[in-house]
Amino acid sequence: MAFSIALLLLFAAAVLGHIPRPAASCPGYRATNVQQDDSYLVADLVLIGSCNLHSKDVKNLRLLVEYQTDTRLHVLIEDADRTVYQVQEHVLPRPKSQNATANGAALKFSFTENPFTFNVTRASGGEVLFDTSDSPLNFETQYVRLRTSLPQNPNLYGLGEHSDDFRLATTGYTRTFWNAESPFIPNRANLYGSHPVYFDHRGDAGTHGVFLLNANGMDILIDKTESGQQYLEYNTIGGVLDFYFLAGPQPASVAKQYAEVAGLPAMMPYWSLGFHQCKYGWQTIDYVAEVVANYSAAGIPLETVWGDIDYMDSKRDFSTDPSRYPTDKARRLIDSLHDNDQHYIQILDPGIRQLDNYGVYKRGAEQGAFLRASDGSYYRGLQWPGEVVWPDWFAPNTQAWWNGEIQSFYDPSTGIDVDGLWTDMNEASNMCPDTNCLTSTSSIEALGWTPQKAPPQLRARQSDAAGHKLGLPDRDLFSPTYKIASHRGPLSAFTLYTNITNADGTHQYDTHNLYGSMMAAATRAALITRRPSKRPFVLTRSTFAGTGRHAAHWFGDNASTWDHYRAAIRQMLGFAAVHAMPMVGSDVCGFNGNAEELMCARWAMMGAFQPFFRNHADVSAPDQEFYRWEIVTEVAKKAIDVRYRLLDYLYTAIWRASEEGRAAVSPLWFHYPGDAATWGVQTQWFLGEGLLVSPVVDDNSQAVSYYLPKDVWYDFWTGERVVSTGEMKSVDGVGWGDIPVHIKGGTILLMRAKSANTTTELRKQNFVITIAPGVDGTAKGALYLDDGESLDVRDQKSQITFSWNGKALEASGTFGYATDAVVERVVVLGDGGSRTHEGPWGLHEGFVFYL
Ligand SMILES: *[C@@H]1O[C@H](CO)[C@@H](O)[C@H](O)[C@H]1NC(C)=O
Ligand SMILES: *[C@@H]1O[C@H](CO)[C@@H](O)[C@H](O)[C@H]1NC(C)=O
Ligand SMILES: *[C@@H]1O[C@H](CO)[C@@H](O)[C@H](O)[C@H]1NC(C)=O
Ligand SMILES: *[C@@H]1O[C@H](CO)[C@@H](O)[C@H](O)[C@H]1NC(C)=O
Ligand SMILES: *[C@@H]1O[C@H](CO)[C@@H](O)[C@H](O)[C@H]1NC(C)=O
Ligand SMILES: CC(=O)N[C@H]1CO[C@H](CO)[C@@H](O)[C@@H]1O
């Protein structure tokens, strides 16, 4: 009985295509011609015997191992001909090797020659971090597999974008990477972005990171073998094995080391940390004006108003609806927003309506900016405006065309003077559900489109791919044998045909996961062209490793449920702590469905402690602006009040992320790596270095249990000192506008003394310094100041470090940003309550305060 059930399961799994065949049947590769010096090793890898599991074996490979820095080991396994696709340098610039030496490095690479397998160990202590010895490498034209064994019950994090537990499941778990529009952000599914990096946390034995720089569709399996051996296995449908091993050993150092590879996140404008309101379904510009007025009447500070696709004429980019959103009226509203120091942002989708009288399309066509089908016509798809063509971000003139459209439509003297842009639907999401709908005339007609005649131009000449890392020829780019487990079905479903050739000769098959990130990058570049001295703000739905260099991100179209309120916390932890994307947050109060008052109140407060703070909802959802409910109005005022008083603290954290790769939001285990009780925590987070946020997370509840690691803490709201031995604390009666927040002992917190209605006003407020001494009586803190909006602030910035030794508070660093704001008070927290000392003290070189 048991036997036949097992067979049945095997059969079912085989039908689904996700059971790896026994690795033993593949002999793998043999390493020869090994050459090495102090800082690198190269070898040839030659196929021992054929395997051809899902496609054809690549017979000759080349191994490169570089000790790039003492804490970063680069291991690249590529085809000897270098024809296999590799992510273009201009899309993701690689870090240069600093030529560290194998002897001095924290990580050690060892290998066996026949068959070739390798391991990565810690030089000190010998902990095995990565070990492929259990199964030989498969490297085929459309299937690459590599498996590493792991210790039992590993603590793995990352591999986003997903809505699953922050600490990843360790059995029967598949993470698929294939960027896809994903309404309701389903669990255990590929979502909008791909970040093939994980952090492996081993408590006192240290933390390390493993980044596979590969953009192809893939499944990463985390499971145990029949004999109980834990493993993680990469199954990609192309690309090379380009690994960066990051030594840590502190969790925060892994985050930093990863940011050095993927790229440091872009610095954000100060105003973008204010409160944002958006809604799909604001039918007219008058309605938007009412929303703004109602926020003001309610006394809830609104920093930025957003325009979803409602503003567009027939849902076309770079257009305004002449009756509902006439440009002159829109301009008047935006002028008045700007007069009040408020901001305005609009959405852009990649799909460009193909119409001869639509200048955006015509100019793009003239510039050769669109992807082409095999017959040379533009590849068509379906997005909000109907039948569309798609920008080819690899084409040489696409950026110039995009710059031009952005510059003219958003020209402050004649057009819509936006302060930032939002790139949506850029997975790319094609509403054409299957792979035929645009080739079958009848279904085009059924969908009410006008089929366009193919323009006469010939397709872009495909470059001679050999040796150029542009992708192997003769592959089945449409339906490879190995099927990744995308929840949207076949590779090309709901997106662009994967057999499309990009202008540089690469294929969507290989570059699909880069589409959204490239649109975000192009949009950032266009904003810089438009206003060369201003720091751009771009929000993007689709991302890839390194997208933080260009844009902020929200977690997509979740629902107005408590489940998604909780999911927002773990998604934030994934992006900000692991994926080097600090400027993230959820749609506050949820996107789909009906937001209930109490849930929206909780979410308003929780959202105030996330870096990106925007309320947004779907067209089908009821209005959910904060002022629509009494309780939410009160909670939102309090939430924005505290957020704004903390805004420079948050700004400093975002700056440190962009400057040093320090995580602006982090899980408890980043700070208490040895404390096993922290490893699974996904409902609490550190904002910056010193504030621990522990919101109520249960449905409609006023109770919360949270963990306080062994340390000295101070209640943020009351200043009360709490000494924890590493305990769960249970609190009941947490009001709808309350959220437990603790200052970690040893922190100096810089806050504005008063909030304000806009971030512009906020910047004029004075400071209050709160000293929260640690176990040893000392504390430190940081403050970064600049004008909040220049792209290059040169030396007009202050990077101040504060330190407290129990008696004196001193400031050191640079003081290049001139401000009239002074330190109004210093509050010293302690055992017997807090002591307040009134200033003022000027915030400049030589600042010192004695008790
Ligand atoms: C590292 O070595 C390579 C090869 O010798 C050389 O091209 C490169 O400039 C070196 N890099 C540094 C930072 O020294
Ligand atoms: C790593 O691989 C080398 C070469 O196979 C082997 O000698 C060594 O024992 C391995 N290290 C561990 C800790 O497994
Ligand atoms: C704004 O407030 C007024 C008065 O309460 C109300 O009638 C109107 O519906 C509100 N409009 C919006 C867009 O919130
Ligand atoms: C992609 O494959 C489909 C299905 O076989 C085919 O109809 C289409 O012409 C191909 N497109 C390109 C650009 O090769
Ligand atoms: C913000 O504006 C409201 C009126 O809309 C006013 O009552 C409140 O005092 C202002 N708050 C601050 C901090 O300036
Ligand atoms: C993360 C999460 O809770 N996802 C849920 C989103 O909503 C859909 C539909 O309601 C659920 O199926 C998902 O589990």
Side-chain angles (χ1 to χ4, degrees), residues 530-554:
R530 173 174 175 260
R531 285 196 172 142
S533 63
K534 280 249 171 85
R535 217 176 283 166
F537 177 81
V538 177
L539 180 76
T540 184
R541 191 168 78 184
S542 184
T543 62
F544 183 68
T547 302
R549 289 179 294 140
H550 315 294
H553 172 66
W554 89 107

Side-chain angles (χ1 to χ4, degrees), residues 589-607:
C589 301
F591 179 77
N592 285 301
N594 187 5
E596 279 158 14
E597 179 168 19
L598 296 180
M599 185 205 68
C600 193
R602 281 273 185 253
W603 211 327
M605 184 52 86
M606 189 266 270

Side-chain angles (χ1 to χ4, degrees), residues 756-791:
N757 281 324
T758 63
T759 61
T760 307
E761 280 304 306
L762 182 65
R763 294 173 58 80
K764 299 173 186 159
Q765 304 303 317
N766 290 332
F767 289 98
V768 173
I769 296 182
T770 303
I771 300 173
V775 185
D776 66 359
T778 71
K780 57 185 175 19
L783 176 66
Y784 174 75
L785 295 171
D786 63 16
D787 69 7
E789 58 176 18
S790 292
L791 186 58

Side-chain angles (χ1 to χ4, degrees), residues 476-488:
D476 182 346
L477 299 179
F478 209 65
S479 33
T481 315
Y482 180 82
K483 312 277 182 230
I484 59 168
S486 170
H487 76 101
R488 300 308 297 263

Side-chain angles (χ1 to χ4, degrees), residues 392-475:
D392 177 356
W393 304 109
F394 291 104
N397 298 330
T398 304
Q399 180 75 58
W401 161 71
W402 195 243
N403 287 354
E405 298 308 326
I406 285 179
Q407 258 175 304
S408 72
F409 184 70
Y410 296 116
D411 182 339
S413 57
T414 53
I416 304 295
D417 187 8
V418 286
D419 300 288
L421 288 171
W422 170 21
T423 60
D424 197 35
M425 301 288 286
N426 53 347
E427 291 70 31
S429 173
N430 187 351
M431 294 166 176
C432 189
D434 58 43
T435 48
N436 316 314
C437 77
L438 288 177
T439 51
S440 136
T441 312
S442 62
S443 51
I444 291 174
E445 277 163 4
L447 286 158
W449 308 329
T450 331
Q452 297 292 312
K453 245 185 83 197
Q457 290 100 319
L458 293 171
R459 81 192 282 196
R461 193 171 66 87
Q462 189 175 336
S463 336
D464 174 13
H468 291 97
K469 306 179 187 171
L470 297 175
L472 290 170
D474 304 325
R475 289 178 293 167

Side-chain angles (χ1 to χ4, degrees), residues 184 279-281 283 591-595 617-624:
F184 296 101
K279 172 86 166 63
Y280 175 22
Q283 284 305 317
F591 179 77
N592 285 301
N594 187 5
D618 186 39
V619 62
S620 61
D623 293 317
Q624 64 182 38

